[in-house]
Amino acid sequence: MNSNRNYSLKEDIRRYWSDRAETFDLAFGHRIPAGPEFDAWRGAIERHLGTRPLNVLELACGTGEVTNLLLSLGHQVTALDFSEAMLAVARKKHADAGGRVHFLLADAENTFLPSRSFDAVVCRHLVWTLTEPMAALGEWRRLLKPGGRLLAFDGNWARPKPGGRIAAGMIALLDRLRGADPHYDGAMSDRHGEIMASLPFGDGLTPTRLIPLLEAAGFAEIAVTSQGPIATAQRRNADLRNKLRTFVYRRFILSARRT
């Protein structure tokens, strides 16, 4: 990718998420409320990382929702984001965490952090936004200690699942009848769509595409599981429109070990 175009795209991404920072937690699927959903996310992390406290790097931490999960499991967390507006929300949210979390303004694709510093690298909804996926995966491997774990929560946001088209159609009908949700991604859909169209995974992030890149970057023991239990928990307290959202896209959990 041309370096000037790459820089411009990164700035577009930074501005987009910075503009959403103050209301980001109001959008369904971003905030992780206490109760069944929190427990489902926490359980997924614990299953992949184990119960021993680790030194964890959280990439693209946003407003600090996954940070909260990691802290609840006893981990020491370095949480970075390249949106100062997002970090401001996260820092305020975790003002009482003391030395257990360190927030850092940095690019997840080129962190400038020391090599072999972390037991685990964790991210949510980041991989689909990578401008240079192969370089980013190599950077994450560099940051991990030998045997360290990469844990990524993501999905194919470019096209609905076959059955998801029905759910998407029902959401569109509800939007027409009730009005669009001002806090969901659709409120800035033109900007979101323009960014997605410019990204390497803009036409869809799938495990089939990602696994060979991970292997080439030096990861092994690659496993893909569904976010089904998380989606089920999200539906517990959601309204109809947000229940339907959990059926639209294929969401997955990917874990891998640094060789």
Side-chain angles (χ1 to χ4, degrees):
M1 183 178 289
N2 179 273
S3 59
N4 290 332
R5 179 170 176 265
N6 189 20
Y7 174 80
S8 176
L9 178 57
K10 280 183 174 289
E11 287 306 303
D12 287 344
I13 293 170
R14 185 202 305 270
R15 285 193 295 269
Y16 172 73
W17 265 276
S18 293
D19 288 347
R20 296 189 62 197
E22 289 188 8
T23 59
F24 197 65
D25 287 347
L26 298 177
F28 179 75
H30 297 309
R31 189 173 73 88
I32 303 173
E37 185 176 350
F38 185 94
D39 294 341
W41 278 100
R42 190 178 188 274
I45 294 173
E46 190 172 51
R47 281 192 295 276
H48 288 283
L49 299 187
T51 58
R52 180 173 61 87
L54 303 174
N55 187 18
V56 177
L57 174 64
E58 182 192 355
L59 301 167
C61 68
T63 64
E65 288 294 290
V66 173
T67 313
N68 191 35
L69 296 166
L70 294 168
L71 290 172
S72 77
L73 289 165
H75 300 307
Q76 181 72 34
V77 182
T78 298
L80 65 80
D81 202 286
F82 78 159
S83 164
E84 186 58 64
M86 286 285 189
L87 285 173
V89 177
R91 288 187 177 111
K92 184 177 180 180
K93 192 179 292 184
H94 296 288
D96 296 331
R100 296 182 55 219
V101 60
H102 172 61
F103 290 103
L104 180 67
L105 181 66
D107 183 352
E109 298 190 50
N110 189 18
T111 66
F112 293 100
L113 293 171
S115 298
R116 300 189 176 194
S117 298
F118 299 97
D119 301 304
V121 169
V122 176
C123 60
R124 178 177 70 151
H125 304 168
L126 166 66
V127 178
W128 75 270
T129 71
L130 296 176
T131 60
E132 298 282 354
M134 196 66 222
L137 295 174
E139 168 74 351
W140 302 350
R141 181 186 183 279
R142 181 186 69 79
L143 294 168
L144 284 166
K145 298 174 184 177
R149 282 280 169 185
L150 170 65
L151 179 61
F153 296 85
D154 225 300
N156 183 355
W157 315 113
R159 55 178 61 87
K161 299 182 293 186
R165 298 182 188 281
I166 298 171
M170 294 176 68
I171 293 168
L173 176 61
L174 288 171
D175 285 348
R176 288 196 294 272
L177 294 173
R178 301 179 180 178
D181 180 348
H183 301 301
Y184 200 68
D185 293 351
M188 304 176 92
S189 58
D190 289 342
R191 289 179 67 188
H192 190 279
E194 289 171 3
I195 289 171
M196 179 174 276
S198 301
L199 292 166
F201 292 128
D203 58 347
L205 173 65
T206 65
T208 302
R209 294 184 67 182
L210 191 52
I211 288 172
L213 299 181
L214 285 161
E215 291 173 337
F219 287 94
E221 297 177 18
I222 302 167
V224 179
T225 54
S226 169
Q227 288 191 37
I230 294 172
T232 298
Q234 288 176 322
R235 290 191 284 270
R236 291 275 296 274
N237 297 313
D239 62 16
L240 177 58
R241 179 159 46 187
N242 287 333
K243 281 185 170 74
L244 289 168
R245 294 194 204 281
T246 67
F247 292 104
V248 176
Y249 299 108
R250 185 191 177 195
R251 298 183 291 170
F252 56 85
I253 305 169
L254 186 146
S255 67
R257 181 180 62 82
R258 181 204 192 277
T259 56

